[in-house]
Amino acid sequence: MPVLLDQILAWLSSEGYLMLFTHHRSTPAVVTPTDDMSVSKLRRSLSLRQVVVIGLAYLTPMTVFDSFAIVSQKSGGHVPSAYVLALGIMLLTALSYGKLARHFPQAGSAYTYVQKIIGNRTGFMVGWLSLMDYILLPMVNALLAQIYLSALFPSVPGWVWVAGFVALITAINLRSVNWVAHINTVLVWIQVIMMAVFVGLVWHGIATHEYQQHVLSLQPFLSENAHLMPMLAGATVLCFSFLGFDAVSTLSEEVHEPVRVIPKAIFLVALYGGLIFIGVSYFIQLYFPASGQLDPDNALPEIAVFVGGKLFQTLMLGCALVGVLASGIACQTSVSRLLFVMGRDRVFPARFFAYLHPVWGTPVLNTLFVGAVALSALCFDLENAMAMINFGALVAFTFVNLAVIRHFYIRLQRRHTLKDHLQYLVLPLLGVAGIGILWLNLSKPALILGLSWAALGVAFMFYKTHGLRRSMPVFGDSHAPEQVRT
């Protein structure tokens, strides 16, 4: 097994699969700062708590209500069990992210890890596809905000809500990342409090014998009708609720002690998010034990009105909007940092994408650029946007697990003890297998749109490398490189 993996990953590392298209030898193109550029860095100011909050905002805890009806049908009325399986798959990949973040404490996430371990062209393609994931999420949040607000205020044109939402999240992200963390802390707590109120109402309803259930019951997890395959089908859907736990690695250069903080933050975001999803879905399943009780397209309003009445329904819709706002802020923060690293590497024009504001210390031009892209929500389809996001995330997850095997198990030869074999081979392979289940269930539109975006990335790489005669540019070899700005 190690020999076979070594051959496959060494081939990727040597960029051999791309050399099939050309007979020219690759010449490295290492970029260094020019004389007319000063050197600056992202400011290290975030704590572990702040990073975890930003990650939870990215996950949007309120999505547990939106996805419940669909997953209840797929899992045969065992949504909490499906969440347990999904959490297990995601934690395997979170462990791989944590191992690499400890060794490469930079803001590029999967792009940086794969670039340094497997090869810079492969790293570029992973970064390119991750960029599709990151850059479309603010647009998806803008579309969701438009849907929620148009339902509350149907007389207001939809473009007003999109433009206002994008302007708000952009204005917040232009200032310091601490400001983002403080605002997201408030927004995440609003969601947590609302979910706690929901749990309290369900508990009260069951305790007063409104439903023939017990508050403490194994039925939401296991019953006489429970089967593994339906629960795995539900877990496949729910894994996409965890997209974004890895995004905190893009904050590595804005954290004190990133080698210690970022691995913990990645794992805690996935774990806390999963525990919230499992806990809330348990109480929803108690209240709605049958799999077909709710409309999949209107689950959150139906759940809210059944549990707490019209007033509670209005509050829940408002809280869902808060969740979209928190996620939009966190998404824009992450993608602006990924663009920053790719600009610093000169993959994209450095004078624009690697620029930091001299006072705020944020990549303001990237933030404005992402805001402009998010405005395309005015003429984009929500289903297709979400399909493209899934493709990019799965590519990143797959290669991060492979990079752990390549770096630790093969390159550093950490395979002396049973613990080494478990950490650096078995668990990453299980992560790849878990992500493989998601690949098998990816929709056809997601594959088509994802492969189309990948084709654009290959074309750009051919242009950037002069027909693959050079490697993609790299900004030095330091684990914590400097950033250039005009």
Side-chain angles (χ1 to χ4, degrees):
M1 177 67 75
V3 175
L4 178 61
L5 287 169
D6 192 18
Q7 291 174 344
I8 295 172
L9 292 172
W11 185 56
L12 288 171
S13 180
S14 65
E15 316 290 357
Y17 68 104
L18 288 171
M19 294 305 292
L20 293 173
F21 299 99
T22 180
H23 299 293
H24 299 285
R25 184 175 297 274
S26 174
T27 302
V30 178
V31 178
T32 55
T34 57
D35 293 337
D36 63 334
M37 292 183 178
S38 60
V39 176
S40 64
K41 296 183 291 185
L42 289 164
R43 296 175 182 173
R44 298 193 182 276
S45 58
L46 294 176
S47 65
L48 174 62
R49 179 186 59 80
Q50 290 175 312
V51 175
V52 170
V53 165
I54 291 175
L56 289 175
Y58 203 118
L59 258 61
T60 318
M62 290 290 291
T63 58
V64 64
F65 295 98
D66 295 308
S67 60
F68 178 84
I70 296 171
V71 179
S72 184
Q73 290 180 3
K74 287 184 174 291
S75 65
H78 298 91
V79 177
S81 293
Y83 266 118
V84 171
L85 293 171
L87 176 60
I89 293 173
M90 290 297 103
L91 286 180
L92 290 170
T93 300
L95 288 171
S96 291
Y97 268 97
K99 291 181 180 72
L100 296 177
R102 189 173 288 111
H103 278 251
F104 305 100
Q106 295 175 229
S109 192
Y111 160 73
T112 295
Y113 309 149
V114 177
Q115 179 197 70
K116 290 184 173 295
I117 295 169
I118 298 179
N120 62 359
R121 288 179 185 157
T122 309
F124 164 74
M125 287 305 301
V126 170
W128 177 266
L129 292 167
S130 297
L131 190 61
M132 176 179 66
D133 171 8
Y134 287 132
I135 206 167
L136 290 180
L137 275 169
M139 182 181 68
V140 169
N141 282 298
L143 283 169
L144 291 173
Q146 178 190 4
I147 292 170
Y148 290 142
L149 287 167
S150 293
L152 293 172
F153 307 99
S155 61
V156 179
W159 68 265
V160 173
W161 302 126
V162 171
F165 179 86
V166 171
L168 179 59
I169 64 172
T170 300
I172 292 171
N173 270 288
L174 287 175
R175 300 297 298 270
S176 72
V177 72
N178 285 84
W179 201 26
V180 170
H182 294 325
I183 292 174
N184 267 335
T185 298
V186 174
L187 299 180
V188 168
W189 271 111
I190 290 173
Q191 295 177 75
V192 170
I193 291 170
M194 183 57 64
M195 288 186 289
V197 172
F198 169 82
V199 168
L201 290 173
V202 171
W203 193 304
H204 179 265
I206 294 173
T208 55
H209 307 289
E210 183 178 337
Y211 283 80
Q212 297 301 313
Q213 289 278 7
H214 297 288
V215 174
L216 299 178
S217 171
L218 286 177
Q219 186 169 344
F221 292 98
L222 294 171
S223 69
E224 63 275 6
N225 299 319
H227 300 286
L228 180 60
M229 292 311 296
M231 283 190 266
L232 279 173
T236 299
V237 176
L238 293 176
C239 278
F240 296 118
S241 299
F242 289 84
L243 296 186
F245 74 87
D246 60 311
V248 299
S249 59
T250 62
L251 303 173
S252 292
E253 295 176 37
E254 294 168 276
V255 173
H256 297 297
E257 301 182 85
V259 172
R260 180 185 64 86
V261 169
I262 292 298
K264 285 184 179 180
I266 293 171
F267 188 82
L268 289 176
V269 169
L271 179 62
Y272 289 167
L275 292 177
I276 290 171
F277 292 147
I278 293 168
V280 175
S281 66
Y282 169 84
F283 283 95
I284 303 175
Q285 195 77 76
L286 278 178
Y287 218 77
F288 303 96
S291 59
Q293 286 181 265
L294 297 167
D295 178 8
D297 296 325
N298 204 32
L300 188 149
E302 283 193 12
I303 292 171
V305 76
F306 272 112
V307 171
K310 292 294 293 182
L311 176 60
F312 185 68
Q313 182 189 53
T314 302
L315 292 174
M316 285 282 282
L317 286 172
C319 195
L321 183 61
V322 165
V324 169
L325 177 61
S327 180
I329 294 169
C331 292
Q332 195 175 45
T333 302
S334 298
V335 69
S336 64
R337 272 61 180 175
L338 177 58
L339 287 168
F340 160 76
V341 174
M342 297 182 84
R344 182 175 62 193
D345 282 352
R346 308 297 178 86
V347 171
F348 300 138
R351 290 187 180 275
F352 185 95
F353 290 99
Y355 175 80
L356 290 181
H357 191 277
V359 176
W360 299 332
T362 57
V364 292
L365 298 181
N366 295 350
T367 301
L368 292 171
F369 173 74
V370 176
V373 173
L375 285 175
S376 64
L378 293 168
C379 55
F380 212 89
D381 179 73
L382 179 61
E383 182 178 353
N384 288 333
M386 296 193 73
M388 293 177 71
I389 287 168
N390 294 340
F391 186 94
L394 293 186
V395 168
F397 291 172
T398 301
F399 273 91
V400 163
N401 281 302
L402 292 175
V404 168
I405 299 172
R406 169 69 175 166
H407 185 64
F408 295 100
Y409 197 76
I410 296 175
R411 180 185 291 174
L412 300 182
Q413 297 189 356
R414 293 190 181 177
R415 49 193 183 203
H416 304 295
T417 66
L418 179 61
K419 183 180 179 181
D420 287 341
H421 289 293
L422 182 65
Q423 282 193 94
Y424 305 125
L425 179 64
V426 176
L427 291 179
L429 283 178
L430 288 175
V432 172
I435 301 304
I437 295 173
L438 304 186
W439 275 115
L440 292 175
N441 288 276
L442 199 63
S443 67
K444 186 176 179 180
L447 286 171
I448 293 173
L449 290 168
L451 291 173
S452 299
W453 180 257
L456 287 175
V458 171
F460 179 78
M461 183 165 56
F462 265 76
Y463 162 76
K464 197 71 179 179
T465 60
H466 303 281
L468 299 183
R469 289 191 293 270
R470 297 184 178 184
S471 294
M472 291 297 290
V474 178
F475 187 81
D477 292 323
S478 171
H479 287 331
E482 301 288 319
Q483 179 268 341
V484 294
R485 75 175 168 85
T486 56

